[in-house]
Amino acid sequence: MRKLENSELERKSIADFKNSDKTPLIIILDDVRSLNNIGSVFRTADAFLIEKIYLCGITAVPPNKEIHKTALGATDTVDWEYHEDVATLIHKLKNDKVSVFAIEQVENAIHLQNFSIVQNEKYAVVFGNEVFGVNQKAIEICDGTIEIPQLGTKHSLNIAVSAGIVMWDLFKKFHY
């Protein structure tokens, strides 16, 4: 077994990425403070051909040196847009027939492993502030909530880790 060289990885060019069929998933980051988390989410979204990222509230936007450190160019490939108010964005997406789910620990949340997608439907998932999570107003207007089960002593995950877990799980459900 030998580690592959970068030249063997058959990475897409930016143009190829832009022209690729995307995973019908939209990521919404609301009031995310950490520039490293934002960059990490971009990088993971690039890996799974995520359709778009919306940055809301106090979430910083590219170009930004600190975001770039972890995004490593993914801000050039993944489409993104800024919206000041997450609730307005959620209403807009729902009007566009996108199913919107908050990623949060709430009563009656669907555990991620039990969440089923409907093929040919588009989904958006909302990730909130690192300390306070997804705000209650946003939760109330979402179509539902998804929870990542956690069995240890801690009751939360870093947002970039949570986003990676959710993107991978939903990517698998769309493609395999």
Side-chain angles (χ1 to χ4, degrees):
M1 194 174 332
R2 140 187 108 70
K3 185 176 173 181
L4 294 175
E5 300 290 330
N6 281 344
S7 61
E8 297 174 284
L9 295 177
E10 300 179 21
R11 298 290 187 213
K12 293 181 181 337
S13 68
I14 292 174
D16 290 339
F17 183 96
K18 294 286 189 186
N19 292 322
S20 294
D21 289 334
K22 302 297 185 297
T23 303
L25 180 62
I26 295 165
I27 305 300
I28 301 170
L29 301 180
D30 184 38
D31 288 339
V32 174
R33 297 175 310 169
S34 167
L35 302 174
N36 289 328
N37 281 337
I38 297 164
S40 292
V41 170
F42 267 97
R43 191 167 167 186
T44 304
D46 175 280
F48 297 123
L49 287 170
I50 300 303
E51 184 174 311
K52 190 168 192 171
I53 295 175
Y54 285 99
L55 307 168
C56 300
I58 66 165
T59 307
V61 299
N64 182 296
K65 185 175 79 168
E66 292 301 313
I67 292 173
H68 181 72
K69 278 184 188 178
T70 50
L72 295 178
T75 56
D76 297 327
T77 55
V78 179
D79 286 341
W80 65 272
E81 191 174 318
Y82 177 78
H83 277 259
E84 184 174 340
D85 181 58
V86 71
T88 303
L89 173 62
I90 291 169
H91 285 301
K92 177 194 176 305
L93 291 171
K94 289 174 68 168
N95 285 338
D96 292 341
K97 306 294 186 230
V98 176
S99 296
V100 182
F101 288 82
I103 307 301
E104 190 57 86
Q105 299 165 324
V106 302
E107 297 170 331
N108 302 314
I110 302 167
H111 280 196
L112 181 58
Q113 73 271 21
N114 299 326
F115 182 77
S116 299
I117 61 153
V118 176
Q119 291 296 332
N120 301 316
E121 277 197 26
K122 192 178 293 189
Y123 292 85
V125 290
V126 182
F127 296 90
N129 180 271
E130 291 90 339
V131 175
F132 304 110
V134 178
N135 78 60
Q136 186 64 40
K137 182 178 176 185
I139 289 169
E140 290 169 2
I141 59 175
C142 284
D143 295 303
T145 54
I146 301 169
E147 180 178 343
I148 302 168
Q150 298 168 59
L151 306 177
T153 62
K154 302 301 171 202
H155 299 287
S156 67
L157 295 166
N158 175 282
I159 187 172
V161 172
S162 294
I165 290 168
V166 170
M167 281 189 256
W168 169 240
D169 185 81
L170 295 180
F171 175 84
K172 287 189 308 182
K173 289 172 179 170
F174 279 113
H175 297 286
Y176 298 108

